[in-house]
Amino acid sequence: MKVIVCKNYEEMSVTAAQIVADVMKADPACVLGLATGSTPVGMYKKLIEMNKAGEIDFSGITTVNLDEYYPIAPDNDQSYRYFMNENLFNHVNIDKSRTFVPNGMAADPVAACEAYEETVANVGAAAIQVLGIGQNGHIGFNEPDTALEVRTHVTDLTESTIKANARFFASEADVPTKALTMGIGTILNAKKIIILANGAAKHEAVSKMLAGKLDTSCPASMLNLHSDVIVVCDEAALNG
Ligand code: PGA
């Protein structure tokens, strides 16, 4: 894995946005794999600025998001569909019908996962997949476990993730306990991966990921199987 260490959140966001922009310029009709969470918000702001300045064009872009809570309505302000609209899609010239997020309202969530895996396969491999990393080492909602799922699936959120995400909800009890998420194999299918991490709270997870071992207690360590991964992080995430 290549590691780019940035001074702070701002520099991390600019660096990540530049990497994504370069991929978009090389192929203006590519697929972007996108992530939610607080980490990539600054990167999305930069991408919006670049789009408004005419530097990058979203008109031919397709996006696939990693995950969605279950159950949750798309217009719930904590849904990842809502997050993507608010933080990127509403502000750039993208065709929203080409933006895909798992269906948090599906009557049959297992069938919805199969359908999502098919959608991701049909649009073709992401030219770049953006990832955050959970404090527990999760990527998407692939939580630490003795075995990890390969494809898109329904998952139970761990106590640690529910606690970490409670800050966005009125109370911890309001955090959905399940999610639909791409599997590790779905994620590894991207041609290029960047994983962003800032702050000391991510240090333990980042260290385990960089230890060079496949450790299911740190799902991000599975990225060691991919030949083009860039870790864009700040000093606190790298060094604690
Ligand atoms: P965060 O979440 O960006 O809000 O820290 C990261 C993640 O859980 O993947």
Side-chain angles (χ1 to χ4, degrees), residues 92 100 116 129 149 213:
V92 296
F100 299 97
Y116 196 70
Q129 172 69 57
E149 296 280 344
K213 296 208 173 2

Side-chain angles (χ1 to χ4, degrees), residues 35-40 66-67 80 131-136 138-141 161 164-165 167-168 196 198 202:
T36 53
S38 52
T39 310
L66 286 169
D67 49 12
Y80 286 168
L131 297 174
I133 182 169
Q135 290 176 31
N136 65 1
H138 73 199
I139 47 174
F141 274 129
T161 294
N165 290 6
R167 69 190 193 277
F168 301 115
L196 316 188
N198 70 291
K202 300 291 172 71

Side-chain angles (χ1 to χ4, degrees), residues 74-216:
D75 59 355
N76 181 313
D77 64 5
Q78 290 311 321
S79 79
Y80 286 168
R81 161 53 71 184
Y82 190 94
F83 174 101
M84 288 310 303
N85 287 346
E86 284 290 302
N87 286 286
L88 183 65
F89 302 151
N90 287 347
H91 311 289
V92 296
N93 66 328
I94 199 162
D95 172 0
K96 271 207 197 134
S97 71
R98 301 293 308 161
T99 66
F100 299 97
V101 179
N103 179 5
M105 283 301 276
D108 180 345
V110 173
C113 288
E114 281 166 18
Y116 196 70
E117 187 72 25
E118 209 173 299
T119 298
V120 171
N122 285 344
V123 300
I128 186 165
Q129 172 69 57
V130 177
L131 297 174
I133 182 169
Q135 290 176 31
N136 65 1
H138 73 199
I139 47 174
F141 274 129
N142 292 277
E143 300 281 43
D145 208 333
T146 50
L148 302 176
E149 296 280 344
V150 178
R151 297 294 160 204
T152 304
H153 59 283
V154 185
T155 187
D156 291 314
L157 302 187
T158 59
E159 202 53 44
S160 127
T161 294
I162 290 170
K163 276 195 175 15
N165 290 6
R167 69 190 193 277
F168 301 115
F169 290 82
S171 78
E172 200 175 308
D174 291 319
V175 185
T177 56
K178 290 184 187 295
L180 313 182
T181 182
M182 282 185 189
I184 299 290
T186 328
I187 293 170
L188 288 175
N189 204 38
K191 293 176 194 160
K192 182 182 192 74
I193 296 175
I194 54 169
I195 180 160
L196 316 188
N198 70 291
K202 300 291 172 71
H203 172 59
E204 197 182 326
V206 168
S207 303
K208 266 191 167 178
M209 170 177 73
L210 292 176
K213 296 208 173 2
L214 302 178
D215 179 350
T216 63

